[in-house]
Amino acid sequence: MNAQQKDRLTGLLGMIGSSIYVYQASLIEDSLLADAVGVTGVPTAIGVLLGTAAVFLFLKSWLPSKAPATSEAEEAPEPGGSDHPHLKALGLLAILLGFVALVSVFGFILCIGVMVATVAYFGGARQFKTLIWCALLTGPLLWLSFDYALEIRLPTGMWSQWIGK
Amino acid sequence: MDSFLLALSNLSSGWVILSAFAGVLWGIFGGALPGISPSIAMALLLPFTVGMEATNALVLLASVYVGAEYGGSIPAILIRTPGTNSASATVIDGNEMAKRGQAGEALGISLMSGLYGGLFGLLVLVLCTESLAQVALAFTPAAYFSLGILGLSVIAGLSGGSLLRGLIAACMGLMVAFIGSDPVSGVQRFTFGSVDLLDGVKPILVMVGLFAVSEMLVQIGEPPWARGNTGSTRLKLPNWAMSKRLFKPQAIGAAIGTFEGVTPGAGGTVAAFMAYTEAKRWSKHPEEFGKGSPEGVAAPESANNVVTATALVPLLSLGIPGSNSAAILLGGFLIHGLQPGPMLFQKAPEVVYGLYGGLLIANIAMLLIGLVILSPCMWLVNRPKPYLIAFILALVMSGVFAIQQSLFDCALVLLIGVLGYAMRLLKIPVLPMVLGMVLGFMVESNYRRSLLISGGEHSIFVTDTASAILLGLSAVLSAYSLWKEISERRKSAK
């Protein structure tokens, strides 16, 4: 995708996003305590501003490009490197969502250990002994740091009667 | 004078020194963990201060603040994960330097800039508390609104050359900031019936998602056994030539940090972003910003460490806690039967001077502890990439959960990470979004409060002196940024 196509897509998404946002803002009911601006005043204005900027960007993308952009944003590294970077990103996201879905059932120590080993394996690590050690150590280490040192309770899941306080 | 001598004698007490070192160490640990803000790190220690002598207790709490503000920069530089909100401006060039194999230099610059900033802030606190307190008193809701606009006026400098994309990102940040309870009437907005969104979206979730999670989604797609390229694992403090180069951005950071610190509610995040853009504006090498400029690390680090001391100005002189961390410190005062405010200097001068001395020791402790721990941190980051990604994500998930003990936050941070990934694909800069998110509440709530006070008259924003000055400054900065962007485009077109 070249820069103009990216601008076009950004503009289009911006217009859609702003329309949905302004529509959602219009559904909010004002309270009796509402001031002159109202609950929806500022969000609507920002939604319209986003829409206007998106329209300008969309229109600008159809104009012939005059100069190559050399900004930091232009030169920011784009996702890539392997054959299917977006698929790999999707795979990682699936692992993390799996962690979020299962942690309340199986508890933090087990889930974070499995997550660490799975992510490392998914990322290319193939030393099974190291993977197992990572899985075994990460959970208890983080548990001790958060639950005991910081006194922040992490989910115990099905093990609550053994490790819950 | 007697009180000053008493404070000096307090400093020679081993307990004050121990409190300062322990506080800084705890603060660095908490600050380096994404999700543990300086105020949380302080709050966790608050119950332990009950049995302590007042000066030791306050030195301990203030030292945690100093350590946490500094600690946030370590993961920001090494793994692109800001440990605290105010470290998000350090990510930009700090992490770029680390990627170029200059992690040791970046951490050295961050450490020394933090030290200079902390010491300068302490000097301001000691010498100017009474006079600067008047600045805080002059701030009406209209002035706060204009202060928020001044913060937003730096968006052009963070937009990476495309003002339209920067504006779109800033609007996205503002939109996220409007989620939750309306600041005036309490009506729920954009919560879609979710109880988890009633309090809105915490800025740290947005920052961790946009920076850390999106970076991991990118990294996983890169060759598997590439090691983290932080170069040497030795900390490198700036030499004389580099120190001379960094003086200007550090001074800019110190000036902005002083102003933002004494203004209740502004805080280190806005100071860091403003210092970054102003350092870029006044730099001889603005083209290096965003690509690993040492000045881009020095300015925000100096600014947010100045704030650790100057944020105490309104607390000590007026009894107004201008930030969450200052509120925790206020709790520390109250626990020991002390009421911050003008009378504090007469009633318990030894505590005030003891706190000043403790802050001095805390800054020295920050330097010494930094010198010891930074090399092992770099060694850790040089581990094989798959393990590093897995460990960072484990840290992110634990830290995010710790904020509110909410799995919803963990899912939300992943969603924001996907948004950050898409923004990177589409070349939309993330920094304006972060700034919009941070300033959204401040701008909207004070805008509407001002209109309530004025009976709907917008003229309040120009009739209020502080507001008019800030709006004028915003207009000048925005016009200058626009002029600069247009002239640079013309140059590159030729």
Side-chain angles (χ1 to χ4, degrees), chain B residues 26-42 64-77 80-91 203-208 211 268-270 272-273 300-301 304-305 308 325 403 434 438:
Chain B
W26 178 260
I28 291 177
F29 173 63
L33 287 175
I36 307 295
S37 63
S39 55
I40 293 176
M42 289 168 78
V64 176
Y65 188 21
V66 171
E69 284 295 353
Y70 166 67
S73 70
I74 301 172
I77 290 169
R80 205 179 145 86
T81 306
T84 55
N85 290 352
S86 55
S88 43
T90 310
V91 170
I204 190 73
L205 296 181
V206 175
M207 291 177 201
V208 169
F211 290 119
T269 313
V270 182
F273 275 109
E301 278 306 302
N304 65 34
N305 282 280
T308 59
S325 305
I403 299 171
V434 172
V438 169

Side-chain angles (χ1 to χ4, degrees), chain B residues 135-326:
Chain B
V135 176
L137 277 180
F139 267 69
T140 58
Y144 277 114
F145 164 76
S146 304
L147 185 66
I149 296 296
L150 179 66
L152 287 173
S153 70
V154 305
I155 282 171
L158 301 171
S159 297
S162 171
L163 199 57
L164 277 176
R165 285 197 211 121
L167 191 61
I168 286 173
C171 287
M172 287 163 67
L174 287 163
M175 286 169 160
V176 177
F178 298 146
I179 295 172
S181 298
D182 170 54
V184 174
S185 64
V187 169
Q188 299 306 313
R189 300 185 298 186
F190 309 106
T191 56
F192 306 102
S194 166
V195 179
D196 297 291
L197 288 173
L198 289 181
D199 276 345
V201 179
K202 297 240 178 292
I204 190 73
L205 296 181
V206 175
M207 291 177 201
V208 169
L210 286 181
F211 290 119
V213 177
S214 72
E215 177 71 12
M216 294 306 109
L217 292 174
V218 172
Q219 293 280 336
I220 201 79
E222 291 181 347
W225 284 102
R227 280 169 182 260
N229 182 27
T230 56
S232 162
T233 55
R234 290 186 66 178
L235 178 69
K236 198 174 170 190
L237 297 178
N239 57 22
W240 175 243
M242 180 57 83
S243 298
K244 274 205 310 192
R245 183 182 168 188
L246 297 179
F247 179 75
K248 194 158 76 175
Q250 283 165 345
I252 290 170
I256 291 172
T258 301
F259 174 67
E260 297 286 344
V262 298
T263 314
T269 313
V270 182
F273 275 109
M274 287 194 71
Y276 180 84
T277 47
E278 289 313 308
K280 183 180 176 184
R281 195 191 309 273
W282 297 102
S283 171
K284 284 180 184 167
H285 308 284
E287 73 286 353
E288 288 181 16
F289 278 70
K291 297 168 193 163
S293 165
E295 296 168 61
V297 177
E301 278 306 302
S302 165
N304 65 34
N305 282 280
V306 169
V307 171
T308 59
T310 53
L312 303 185
V313 169
L315 176 69
L316 293 180
S317 56
L318 304 168
I320 303 170
S323 63
N324 291 340
S325 305

Side-chain angles (χ1 to χ4, degrees), chain B residues 9-138:
Chain B
S9 71
N10 273 348
L11 291 187
S12 60
S13 132
W15 286 111
V16 172
I17 296 171
L18 188 68
S19 300
F21 271 80
V24 169
L25 190 62
W26 178 260
I28 291 177
F29 173 63
L33 287 175
I36 307 295
S37 63
S39 55
I40 293 176
M42 289 168 78
L44 290 166
L45 280 190
L46 195 59
F48 298 100
T49 63
V50 175
M52 293 172 75
E53 195 269 320
T55 308
N56 296 342
L58 294 168
V59 167
L60 179 72
L61 291 173
S63 303
V64 176
Y65 188 21
V66 171
E69 284 295 353
Y70 166 67
S73 70
I74 301 172
I77 290 169
L78 291 177
I79 56 175
R80 205 179 145 86
T81 306
T84 55
N85 290 352
S86 55
S88 43
T90 310
V91 170
I92 316 165
D93 283 288
N95 189 249
E96 284 302 316
M97 284 183 76
K99 281 179 180 167
R100 285 183 356 194
Q102 296 175 324
E105 284 89 338
L107 287 169
I109 290 167
S110 150
L111 180 62
M112 294 315 292
S113 303
L115 176 70
Y116 297 147
L119 292 177
F120 179 81
L122 179 59
L123 198 68
V124 171
L125 179 69
V126 173
L127 298 178
C128 314
T129 294
E130 280 183 46
S131 48
L132 285 174
Q134 301 307 316
V135 176
L137 277 180

